[in-house]
Amino acid sequence: MAVINFKEKLIQVKIVYYGPGRSGKTTNLIYIYDKLQQKLSGRPASRLITIDTRGDRTLFFDFFPVDLGKIYGMDLKIQLYTTPGQVVYNTTRKLVLKGVDGVVFVADSLPARRQANIESLQNLKENLAHYNLKIEDIPLVFQWNKRDLEDEGLVLLDIETLEDDLNKELKAPSFPASAIRGYNVFQTLKQIAKLTISSVIRKFMLSEQIVKVAGG
């Protein structure tokens, strides 16, 4: 859940990268982190925290997207998380989703991972329901990752199939991407940040109206 600190004039939102194991969630965050470090000439925006599990990882860091400026006179801080994709770590995935404000679903474009994509999206719905959240009500962006493998002659799921499998009813924004090359990594981030911040502001303004109506 977003944190609005009036004393420090800070809005903090939490975005989680979700998807099946080895779909590229970690690669997304490492690419973003490295590029931010380069932009800041080595001055660390935040420490990249890695929690290693067997064959999978959970990553976290936060940063101030200075390009977005202030919102209602307040600074914005974005927290980025990945979740471990393997089924055995579902408890960890559920914990990471606690307080989530927006989700990037990173799907694997390899045909062999088609069912894993579908099962991971269903798992996301179930874990959001644990916090009384519906996937339709939370800012969501899909990323069709590993499109670079076409250049190596591999046959990939076409975009229409991925859309039909995962996004037919949700109709969320989506991007073909290559996290390892950085293709559409920041476009994905910008889109989910835009949707998440808009959602947080709408909720904040609604709560303000409720307080006024109640005479607060």
PDB file of all heavy atoms in Angstrom, residues 44-67:
ATOM      1  N   PRO A  44      25.162   5.894  -5.408  1.00  0.00           N
ATOM      2  CA  PRO A  44      24.092   4.912  -5.233  1.00  0.00           C
ATOM      3  C   PRO A  44      22.757   5.563  -4.865  1.00  0.00           C
ATOM      4  O   PRO A  44      22.683   6.362  -3.943  1.00  0.00           O
ATOM      5  CB  PRO A  44      24.598   4.033  -4.075  1.00  0.00           C
ATOM      6  CG  PRO A  44      25.549   4.910  -3.336  1.00  0.00           C
ATOM      7  CD  PRO A  44      26.184   5.806  -4.345  1.00  0.00           C
ATOM      8  N   ALA A  45      21.704   5.246  -5.656  1.00  0.00           N
ATOM      9  CA  ALA A  45      20.365   5.736  -5.331  1.00  0.00           C
ATOM     10  C   ALA A  45      19.793   4.915  -4.187  1.00  0.00           C
ATOM     11  O   ALA A  45      19.053   5.398  -3.357  1.00  0.00           O
ATOM     12  CB  ALA A  45      19.457   5.620  -6.548  1.00  0.00           C
ATOM     13  N   SER A  46      20.204   3.676  -4.150  1.00  0.00           N
ATOM     14  CA  SER A  46      19.694   2.766  -3.144  1.00  0.00           C
ATOM     15  C   SER A  46      20.532   1.504  -3.239  1.00  0.00           C
ATOM     16  O   SER A  46      21.161   1.237  -4.261  1.00  0.00           O
ATOM     17  CB  SER A  46      18.227   2.455  -3.409  1.00  0.00           C
ATOM     18  OG  SER A  46      17.796   1.393  -2.590  1.00  0.00           O
ATOM     19  N   ARG A  47      20.545   0.733  -2.185  1.00  0.00           N
ATOM     20  CA  ARG A  47      21.291  -0.527  -2.215  1.00  0.00           C
ATOM     21  C   ARG A  47      20.424  -1.618  -2.828  1.00  0.00           C
ATOM     22  O   ARG A  47      19.239  -1.746  -2.490  1.00  0.00           O
ATOM     23  CB  ARG A  47      21.699  -0.902  -0.796  1.00  0.00           C
ATOM     24  CG  ARG A  47      22.728  -2.009  -0.738  1.00  0.00           C
ATOM     25  CD  ARG A  47      23.438  -1.990   0.595  1.00  0.00           C
ATOM     26  NE  ARG A  47      22.528  -2.221   1.713  1.00  0.00           N
ATOM     27  CZ  ARG A  47      22.310  -3.417   2.264  1.00  0.00           C
ATOM     28  NH1 ARG A  47      22.941  -4.475   1.804  1.00  0.00           N
ATOM     29  NH2 ARG A  47      21.495  -3.550   3.282  1.00  0.00           N
ATOM     30  N   LEU A  48      21.016  -2.365  -3.744  1.00  0.00           N
ATOM     31  CA  LEU A  48      20.296  -3.493  -4.331  1.00  0.00           C
ATOM     32  C   LEU A  48      20.368  -4.660  -3.359  1.00  0.00           C
ATOM     33  O   LEU A  48      21.455  -5.164  -3.055  1.00  0.00           O
ATOM     34  CB  LEU A  48      20.921  -3.881  -5.670  1.00  0.00           C
ATOM     35  CG  LEU A  48      20.262  -5.037  -6.429  1.00  0.00           C
ATOM     36  CD1 LEU A  48      18.861  -4.657  -6.880  1.00  0.00           C
ATOM     37  CD2 LEU A  48      21.111  -5.439  -7.629  1.00  0.00           C
ATOM     38  N   ILE A  49      19.225  -5.068  -2.868  1.00  0.00           N
ATOM     39  CA  ILE A  49      19.168  -6.147  -1.881  1.00  0.00           C
ATOM     40  C   ILE A  49      18.736  -7.432  -2.568  1.00  0.00           C
ATOM     41  O   ILE A  49      17.720  -7.449  -3.278  1.00  0.00           O
ATOM     42  CB  ILE A  49      18.191  -5.790  -0.743  1.00  0.00           C
ATOM     43  CG1 ILE A  49      18.689  -4.535  -0.009  1.00  0.00           C
ATOM     44  CG2 ILE A  49      18.024  -6.957   0.224  1.00  0.00           C
ATOM     45  CD1 ILE A  49      17.716  -3.994   1.012  1.00  0.00           C
ATOM     46  N   THR A  50      19.502  -8.478  -2.388  1.00  0.00           N
ATOM     47  CA  THR A  50      19.203  -9.767  -3.013  1.00  0.00           C
ATOM     48  C   THR A  50      19.013 -10.820  -1.943  1.00  0.00           C
ATOM     49  O   THR A  50      19.843 -10.951  -1.046  1.00  0.00           O
ATOM     50  CB  THR A  50      20.352 -10.210  -3.934  1.00  0.00           C
ATOM     51  OG1 THR A  50      20.595  -9.196  -4.902  1.00  0.00           O
ATOM     52  CG2 THR A  50      20.000 -11.508  -4.643  1.00  0.00           C
ATOM     53  N   ILE A  51      17.910 -11.536  -2.035  1.00  0.00           N
ATOM     54  CA  ILE A  51      17.661 -12.668  -1.139  1.00  0.00           C
ATOM     55  C   ILE A  51      17.761 -13.920  -1.987  1.00  0.00           C
ATOM     56  O   ILE A  51      16.903 -14.172  -2.849  1.00  0.00           O
ATOM     57  CB  ILE A  51      16.276 -12.567  -0.479  1.00  0.00           C
ATOM     58  CG1 ILE A  51      16.141 -11.240   0.284  1.00  0.00           C
ATOM     59  CG2 ILE A  51      16.036 -13.752   0.449  1.00  0.00           C
ATOM     60  CD1 ILE A  51      14.730 -10.950   0.753  1.00  0.00           C
ATOM     61  N   ASP A  52      18.824 -14.657  -1.806  1.00  0.00           N
ATOM     62  CA  ASP A  52      19.036 -15.860  -2.615  1.00  0.00           C
ATOM     63  C   ASP A  52      18.252 -17.036  -2.070  1.00  0.00           C
ATOM     64  O   ASP A  52      18.243 -17.296  -0.875  1.00  0.00           O
ATOM     65  CB  ASP A  52      20.525 -16.212  -2.647  1.00  0.00           C
ATOM     66  CG  ASP A  52      21.293 -15.311  -3.578  1.00  0.00           C
ATOM     67  OD1 ASP A  52      20.802 -15.071  -4.694  1.00  0.00           O
ATOM     68  OD2 ASP A  52      22.375 -14.841  -3.194  1.00  0.00           O
ATOM     69  N   THR A  53      17.577 -17.697  -2.987  1.00  0.00           N
ATOM     70  CA  THR A  53      16.967 -18.973  -2.660  1.00  0.00           C
ATOM     71  C   THR A  53      17.588 -19.990  -3.626  1.00  0.00           C
ATOM     72  O   THR A  53      18.415 -19.642  -4.439  1.00  0.00           O
ATOM     73  CB  THR A  53      15.437 -18.899  -2.839  1.00  0.00           C
ATOM     74  OG1 THR A  53      15.140 -18.237  -4.073  1.00  0.00           O
ATOM     75  CG2 THR A  53      14.806 -18.124  -1.715  1.00  0.00           C
ATOM     76  N   ARG A  54      17.214 -21.202  -3.542  1.00  0.00           N
ATOM     77  CA  ARG A  54      17.853 -22.228  -4.382  1.00  0.00           C
ATOM     78  C   ARG A  54      17.415 -22.076  -5.835  1.00  0.00           C
ATOM     79  O   ARG A  54      16.323 -22.446  -6.219  1.00  0.00           O
ATOM     80  CB  ARG A  54      17.487 -23.614  -3.863  1.00  0.00           C
ATOM     81  CG  ARG A  54      18.077 -23.905  -2.497  1.00  0.00           C
ATOM     82  CD  ARG A  54      17.711 -25.301  -2.036  1.00  0.00           C
ATOM     83  NE  ARG A  54      18.257 -25.581  -0.714  1.00  0.00           N
ATOM     84  CZ  ARG A  54      18.025 -26.695  -0.045  1.00  0.00           C
ATOM     85  NH1 ARG A  54      17.273 -27.637  -0.572  1.00  0.00           N
ATOM     86  NH2 ARG A  54      18.546 -26.860   1.154  1.00  0.00           N
ATOM     87  N   GLY A  55      18.314 -21.522  -6.645  1.00  0.00           N
ATOM     88  CA  GLY A  55      18.031 -21.386  -8.072  1.00  0.00           C
ATOM     89  C   GLY A  55      17.104 -20.253  -8.414  1.00  0.00           C
ATOM     90  O   GLY A  55      16.664 -20.129  -9.556  1.00  0.00           O
ATOM     91  N   ASP A  56      16.785 -19.403  -7.456  1.00  0.00           N
ATOM     92  CA  ASP A  56      15.873 -18.295  -7.720  1.00  0.00           C
ATOM     93  C   ASP A  56      16.244 -17.153  -6.786  1.00  0.00           C
ATOM     94  O   ASP A  56      16.923 -17.345  -5.792  1.00  0.00           O
ATOM     95  CB  ASP A  56      14.423 -18.724  -7.459  1.00  0.00           C
ATOM     96  CG  ASP A  56      13.484 -18.144  -8.496  1.00  0.00           C
ATOM     97  OD1 ASP A  56      13.809 -17.074  -9.045  1.00  0.00           O
ATOM     98  OD2 ASP A  56      12.433 -18.748  -8.733  1.00  0.00           O
ATOM     99  N   ARG A  57      15.802 -15.943  -7.100  1.00  0.00           N
ATOM    100  CA  ARG A  57      16.184 -14.807  -6.275  1.00  0.00           C
ATOM    101  C   ARG A  57      15.039 -13.825  -6.112  1.00  0.00           C
ATOM    102  O   ARG A  57      14.185 -13.689  -6.984  1.00  0.00           O
ATOM    103  CB  ARG A  57      17.382 -14.065  -6.897  1.00  0.00           C
ATOM    104  CG  ARG A  57      18.677 -14.790  -6.768  1.00  0.00           C
ATOM    105  CD  ARG A  57      19.836 -13.937  -7.197  1.00  0.00           C
ATOM    106  NE  ARG A  57      19.825 -13.671  -8.626  1.00  0.00           N
ATOM    107  CZ  ARG A  57      20.699 -12.875  -9.227  1.00  0.00           C
ATOM    108  NH1 ARG A  57      21.617 -12.251  -8.522  1.00  0.00           N
ATOM    109  NH2 ARG A  57      20.649 -12.691 -10.527  1.00  0.00           N
ATOM    110  N   THR A  58      15.047 -13.124  -4.975  1.00  0.00           N
ATOM    111  CA  THR A  58      14.155 -11.999  -4.759  1.00  0.00           C
ATOM    112  C   THR A  58      15.018 -10.752  -4.647  1.00  0.00           C
ATOM    113  O   THR A  58      15.981 -10.729  -3.882  1.00  0.00           O
ATOM    114  CB  THR A  58      13.339 -12.183  -3.459  1.00  0.00           C
ATOM    115  OG1 THR A  58      12.543 -13.349  -3.579  1.00  0.00           O
ATOM    116  CG2 THR A  58      12.457 -10.982  -3.211  1.00  0.00           C
ATOM    117  N   LEU A  59      14.696  -9.732  -5.426  1.00  0.00           N
ATOM    118  CA  LEU A  59      15.484  -8.511  -5.439  1.00  0.00           C
ATOM    119  C   LEU A  59      14.632  -7.325  -4.995  1.00  0.00           C
ATOM    120  O   LEU A  59      13.415  -7.312  -5.188  1.00  0.00           O
ATOM    121  CB  LEU A  59      16.016  -8.213  -6.850  1.00  0.00           C
ATOM    122  CG  LEU A  59      17.380  -8.791  -7.229  1.00  0.00           C
ATOM    123  CD1 LEU A  59      17.320 -10.309  -7.259  1.00  0.00           C
ATOM    124  CD2 LEU A  59      17.821  -8.257  -8.573  1.00  0.00           C
ATOM    125  N   PHE A  60      15.311  -6.324  -4.427  1.00  0.00           N
ATOM    126  CA  PHE A  60      14.616  -5.101  -4.036  1.00  0.00           C
ATOM    127  C   PHE A  60      15.570  -3.928  -4.119  1.00  0.00           C
ATOM    128  O   PHE A  60      16.746  -4.032  -3.767  1.00  0.00           O
ATOM    129  CB  PHE A  60      14.089  -5.207  -2.607  1.00  0.00           C
ATOM    130  CG  PHE A  60      13.804  -3.862  -1.986  1.00  0.00           C
ATOM    131  CD1 PHE A  60      12.668  -3.162  -2.336  1.00  0.00           C
ATOM    132  CD2 PHE A  60      14.696  -3.285  -1.086  1.00  0.00           C
ATOM    133  CE1 PHE A  60      12.420  -1.912  -1.797  1.00  0.00           C
ATOM    134  CE2 PHE A  60      14.454  -2.038  -0.540  1.00  0.00           C
ATOM    135  CZ  PHE A  60      13.301  -1.343  -0.888  1.00  0.00           C
ATOM    136  N   PHE A  61      15.084  -2.805  -4.627  1.00  0.00           N
ATOM    137  CA  PHE A  61      15.746  -1.524  -4.421  1.00  0.00           C
ATOM    138  C   PHE A  61      14.717  -0.430  -4.634  1.00  0.00           C
ATOM    139  O   PHE A  61      13.638  -0.652  -5.181  1.00  0.00           O
ATOM    140  CB  PHE A  61      16.965  -1.337  -5.346  1.00  0.00           C
ATOM    141  CG  PHE A  61      16.644  -1.065  -6.787  1.00  0.00           C
ATOM    142  CD1 PHE A  61      16.594   0.235  -7.264  1.00  0.00           C
ATOM    143  CD2 PHE A  61      16.418  -2.099  -7.673  1.00  0.00           C
ATOM    144  CE1 PHE A  61      16.321   0.489  -8.599  1.00  0.00           C
ATOM    145  CE2 PHE A  61      16.139  -1.860  -9.001  1.00  0.00           C
ATOM    146  CZ  PHE A  61      16.093  -0.554  -9.473  1.00  0.00           C
ATOM    147  N   ASP A  62      15.016   0.759  -4.143  1.00  0.00           N
ATOM    148  CA  ASP A  62      14.113   1.886  -4.372  1.00  0.00           C
ATOM    149  C   ASP A  62      14.900   3.062  -4.925  1.00  0.00           C
ATOM    150  O   ASP A  62      16.134   3.099  -4.837  1.00  0.00           O
ATOM    151  CB  ASP A  62      13.330   2.264  -3.108  1.00  0.00           C
ATOM    152  CG  ASP A  62      14.239   2.581  -1.940  1.00  0.00           C
ATOM    153  OD1 ASP A  62      15.404   2.913  -2.166  1.00  0.00           O
ATOM    154  OD2 ASP A  62      13.771   2.504  -0.800  1.00  0.00           O
ATOM    155  N   PHE A  63      14.187   3.996  -5.527  1.00  0.00           N
ATOM    156  CA  PHE A  63      14.853   5.146  -6.131  1.00  0.00           C
ATOM    157  C   PHE A  63      13.862   6.298  -6.259  1.00  0.00           C
ATOM    158  O   PHE A  63      12.640   6.113  -6.209  1.00  0.00           O
ATOM    159  CB  PHE A  63      15.425   4.781  -7.505  1.00  0.00           C
ATOM    160  CG  PHE A  63      14.384   4.442  -8.535  1.00  0.00           C
ATOM    161  CD1 PHE A  63      14.016   5.364  -9.503  1.00  0.00           C
ATOM    162  CD2 PHE A  63      13.781   3.190  -8.558  1.00  0.00           C
ATOM    163  CE1 PHE A  63      13.069   5.051 -10.459  1.00  0.00           C
ATOM    164  CE2 PHE A  63      12.826   2.872  -9.504  1.00  0.00           C
ATOM    165  CZ  PHE A  63      12.474   3.797 -10.465  1.00  0.00           C
ATOM    166  N   PHE A  64      14.433   7.484  -6.442  1.00  0.00           N
ATOM    167  CA  PHE A  64      13.627   8.681  -6.673  1.00  0.00           C
ATOM    168  C   PHE A  64      13.657   8.989  -8.174  1.00  0.00           C
ATOM    169  O   PHE A  64      14.716   9.336  -8.701  1.00  0.00           O
ATOM    170  CB  PHE A  64      14.190   9.878  -5.897  1.00  0.00           C
ATOM    171  CG  PHE A  64      14.032   9.770  -4.416  1.00  0.00           C
ATOM    172  CD1 PHE A  64      15.052   9.241  -3.640  1.00  0.00           C
ATOM    173  CD2 PHE A  64      12.862  10.169  -3.793  1.00  0.00           C
ATOM    174  CE1 PHE A  64      14.915   9.128  -2.267  1.00  0.00           C
ATOM    175  CE2 PHE A  64      12.715  10.061  -2.425  1.00  0.00           C
ATOM    176  CZ  PHE A  64      13.744   9.543  -1.659  1.00  0.00           C
ATOM    177  N   PRO A  65      12.554   8.811  -8.881  1.00  0.00           N
ATOM    178  CA  PRO A  65      12.540   9.111 -10.316  1.00  0.00           C
ATOM    179  C   PRO A  65      12.513  10.625 -10.552  1.00  0.00           C
ATOM    180  O   PRO A  65      11.444  11.234 -10.692  1.00  0.00           O
ATOM    181  CB  PRO A  65      11.252   8.438 -10.801  1.00  0.00           C
ATOM    182  CG  PRO A  65      10.361   8.424  -9.608  1.00  0.00           C
ATOM    183  CD  PRO A  65      11.264   8.348  -8.400  1.00  0.00           C
ATOM    184  N   VAL A  66      13.700  11.223 -10.575  1.00  0.00           N
ATOM    185  CA  VAL A  66      13.794  12.686 -10.624  1.00  0.00           C
ATOM    186  C   VAL A  66      13.147  13.251 -11.884  1.00  0.00           C
ATOM    187  O   VAL A  66      12.720  14.408 -11.905  1.00  0.00           O
ATOM    188  CB  VAL A  66      15.261  13.138 -10.536  1.00  0.00           C
ATOM    189  CG1 VAL A  66      15.827  12.829  -9.176  1.00  0.00           C
ATOM    190  CG2 VAL A  66      16.110  12.470 -11.612  1.00  0.00           C
ATOM    191  N   ASP A  67      13.066  12.441 -12.935  1.00  0.00           N
ATOM    192  CA  ASP A  67      12.471  12.922 -14.188  1.00  0.00           C
ATOM    193  C   ASP A  67      10.997  13.272 -14.028  1.00  0.00           C
ATOM    194  O   ASP A  67      10.444  14.060 -14.796  1.00  0.00           O
ATOM    195  CB  ASP A  67      12.606  11.856 -15.283  1.00  0.00           C
ATOM    196  CG  ASP A  67      14.059  11.631 -15.660  1.00  0.00           C
ATOM    197  OD1 ASP A  67      14.901  12.480 -15.301  1.00  0.00           O
ATOM    198  OD2 ASP A  67      14.354  10.620 -16.311  1.00  0.00           O
TER     199      ASP A  67
END
